[in-house]
Amino acid sequence: MVTHLHFDHYAGVSVEKGGAWEPTFPNAVHLIPLRDWNMPDVADARAKGDRDVTTTLGVIEKAGLVRLVEGRVGITRGVYVEPFPGESPGHQILTVASGQKRCYCIGDLYHTVEEAVEPGLVATWTDRDTLVASKVRFASRASRERALVLSGHMDPGRVSVIAGTPRWKAV
Ligand SMILES: [Zn+2]
C-alpha cells in the first residue's frame, strides 16, 4: 500500500534495470488512494508525461498493478488501510492487528515528534483542519490500544494521550 502520493512515498514502486523501469514488486497489487491519484499536481504530471511519474506510478499502472481505493479496505485478516487525510487528500494508514496488539504504519501523519505531541503543528502544504482532526482521532485510538507507531520519517514509538495532551515515547 502507498500511504499517499508524495514522491518520497512512492518512488520505490519501480526500479531501473538495464535502462528500463520495472515494478519493484511485480506480484503486488498497489493500493493507492483515489483522492491522491486525482490531485491536480499528480493528474497534471501524468497528463504531461512527467518523468518522475512515468518512471514510477506509470510503470505500475501499465503493468496493471494499481488499485485505487477509497475508505477502509481490508487486505487480509487483521490488515487493512484506512483514510487519515490532511497531509494529502487521500492520505491513508496501514493497520496490522494481532490479537489485542496493533501496529500502525502512518506515513506522514507525523513527520516529527513535535508534530506528534502538538496536534496543531502541521506542515505548510497540508489541509490544516483535516489533518488536525486526523491526528487527534489517531492519537486517542493508538493511545488506548498502546499501539506501535511507524512513521515514514521517524523512529518507531508509541503515542499516549494524558489529560488530552499527546506524548511520544520512542521504542
Ligand atoms: Zn514524507
Side-chain angles (χ1 to χ4, degrees), residues 3-4 6-9 87 107-108 111 125 152-153:
T3 55
H4 62 299
H6 290 167
F7 191 68
D8 59 320
H9 294 266
E87 166 73 6
D108 281 353
H111 300 85
W125 58 83
H153 298 277

Side-chain angles (χ1 to χ4, degrees), residues 11-85:
V13 299
S14 62
V15 63
E16 194 176 6
K17 277 188 193 156
W21 289 88
E22 297 174 8
T24 307
F25 307 103
N27 298 321
V29 174
H30 297 63
L31 306 187
I32 292 178
L34 172 67
R35 286 179 181 211
D36 279 18
W37 192 261
N38 291 333
M39 282 193 294
D41 59 326
V42 173
D44 222 47
R46 291 175 56 238
K48 285 183 185 150
D50 178 276
R51 191 173 183 276
D52 279 351
V53 169
T54 55
T55 58
T56 54
L57 299 177
V59 171
I60 57 171
E61 184 185 19
K62 253 192 205 157
L65 300 177
V66 171
R67 182 175 155 206
L68 299 175
V69 298
E70 229 184 344
R72 180 177 153 139
V73 177
I75 296 172
T76 186
R77 193 173 165 205
V79 182
Y80 55 90
V81 297
E82 190 180 355
F84 275 82

